[in-house]
Amino acid sequence: MEKILEVKNISKKYQSKEGEILALKNITFKVEKGEFVSIIGPSGCGKSTLLSIIAGLEDKTSGEIYIEGEKVEGISPKVGYMLQRDCLLEWRNILSNTMFGLDIKRNKNKETKAYVEELLKKYDLYDFKDKYPSELSGGMRQRAALIRTLAVKPKILLLDEAFSALDYQTRIMVTNDIYNILREEHITTIMVTHDISEAISMSDRVIVLNARPGSVKDIHKIEFNIENRNPLNCRESPKFSQYFNTLWKELGVDE
Ligand code: ADP
Ligand code: MG
């Protein structure tokens, strides 16, 4: 397998009024091309900080990030980022929203526009391209936000609690949809979540972080051996509850 991301000995200190906060300590792991990796850990353990550092949005105190063997210095154009808020612009219609990244990168041309339209068609949003975000369901909005992110062809997608604003039923369906899109498009994904079930049902590996300062506690390989694996059929597998119990215990110890 081909390695796409290398996180090497990352530490991060924040300065605050009370003094220095060590948020991350010696984080090291690698991600292979096409892999889906989740990061879980107690609230405040530095998950969002770690994603921001991988994206080059936040400075690190020490360590290095490599994407496709290139050191990340500053904001990385190879990374796509999705947050809990879908950040769609209410005054732009869906087509225009999904083209937004291309506008910013001044990369709107026949080819890139055709790619966005292809994604909209493939993932059932083309009929809604002239609608505004407020006219779409939460699930459709997330799908539109994903297409906007994929439009610029990131090498790695980062998801930070991207589904946690959705109600339970919607979240189950949306994570399934998004998972299928990411697999179909062969997108390498790193997802931060506090939802153990979400992590197990979507991931090839789950990285568990210790409470502050965040450090790697354990890395679990998740294997279901299900043909056409997806989050829904994983949730029904007997192995699911085994993984759940293991991770639940591991997270519980520190809380
Ligand atoms: P998580 O996403 O796991 O909940 P964060 O990465 O948001 O955790 O935060 C990790 C720690 O770093 C927390 O203790 C938080 O208070 C602190 N922190 C995050 N951002 C800043 C900042 N800009 N300045 C100071 N401290 C921060
Ligand atoms: Mg966070």
Side-chain angles (χ1 to χ4, degrees):
M1 284 294 268
E2 201 181 329
K3 175 178 71 194
I4 191 163
L5 170 72
E6 192 170 358
V7 174
K8 218 169 165 181
N9 254 313
I10 291 293
S11 296
K12 172 71 181 177
K13 279 180 198 154
Y14 282 115
Q15 305 298 333
S16 77
K17 278 183 219 131
E18 293 78 39
E20 251 174 21
I21 296 174
L22 184 59
L24 294 171
K25 192 180 162 193
N26 291 334
I27 304 272
T28 296
F29 62 90
K30 291 174 189 172
V31 175
E32 282 169 1
K33 205 168 170 209
E35 233 190 334
F36 196 120
V37 174
S38 288
I39 299 173
I40 61 175
S43 169
C45 76
K47 302 182 293 296
S48 297
T49 301
L50 180 57
L51 281 198
S52 300
I53 291 174
I54 293 171
L57 295 168
E58 180 90 64
D59 284 338
K60 49 208 177 293
T61 306
S62 60
E64 289 111 43
I65 305 285
Y66 294 91
I67 298 177
E68 294 183 317
E70 266 177 49
K71 207 171 183 171
V72 174
E73 317 259 20
I75 296 174
S76 172
K78 294 182 173 180
V79 170
Y81 212 149
M82 261 176 79
L83 305 167
Q84 184 175 335
R85 290 171 299 119
D86 56 42
C87 300
L88 295 175
L89 302 171
E90 300 296 339
W91 62 89
R92 283 182 166 228
N93 68 22
I94 294 305
L95 181 65
S96 160
N97 260 293
T98 52
M99 300 269 183
F100 185 63
L102 297 174
D103 285 337
I104 289 180
K105 294 198 166 182
R106 297 178 195 281
N107 188 23
K108 215 160 150 186
N109 57 46
K110 216 168 144 185
E111 196 185 320
T112 56
K113 279 199 260 183
Y115 180 57
V116 171
E117 295 199 349
E118 179 198 319
L119 290 173
L120 287 169
K121 280 179 191 153
K122 207 157 147 193
Y123 302 117
D124 300 324
L125 279 176
Y126 195 73
D127 291 344
F128 297 85
K129 69 181 191 328
D130 301 320
K131 302 256 189 243
Y132 287 84
S134 62
E135 299 176 272
L136 267 61
S137 68
M140 292 168 93
R141 290 181 64 124
Q142 268 312 1
R143 222 150 69 219
L146 178 64
I147 291 174
R148 177 193 54 197
T149 308
L150 297 186
V152 297
K153 301 213 170 170
K155 302 289 182 179
I156 299 177
L157 176 67
L158 306 179
L159 302 174
D160 192 352
E161 307 271 3
F163 312 113
S164 53
L166 303 167
D167 66 76
Y168 181 74
Q169 296 290 338
T170 310
R171 198 164 78 226
I172 301 282
M173 296 320 291
V174 170
T175 51
N176 204 64
D177 276 358
I178 300 277
Y179 176 90
N180 287 329
I181 296 173
L182 295 175
R183 286 294 178 195
E184 172 92 17
E185 305 299 323
H186 307 291
I187 307 288
T188 307
T189 306
I190 301 169
M191 174 172 84
V192 158
T193 180
H194 63 264
D195 185 331
I196 298 174
S197 301
E198 192 172 280
I200 297 166
S201 68
M202 298 179 87
S203 309
D204 299 308
R205 281 188 297 149
V206 175
I207 299 176
V208 181
L209 298 186
N210 286 308
R212 213 172 75 199
S215 57
V216 176
K217 183 171 195 178
D218 213 339
I219 301 184
H220 297 267
K221 208 164 172 45
I222 309 291
E223 279 169 319
F224 283 102
N225 302 316
I226 297 173
E227 212 180 319
N228 297 319
R229 174 189 168 172
N230 64 44
L232 286 181
N233 60 29
C234 285
R235 282 172 189 269
E236 283 167 12
S237 159
K239 279 184 110 179
F240 186 86
S241 50
Q242 290 171 22
Y243 284 129
F244 187 91
N245 289 335
T246 305
L247 290 172
W248 177 259
K249 280 193 197 125
E250 202 165 84
L251 281 174
V253 173
D254 285 346
E255 277 173 358

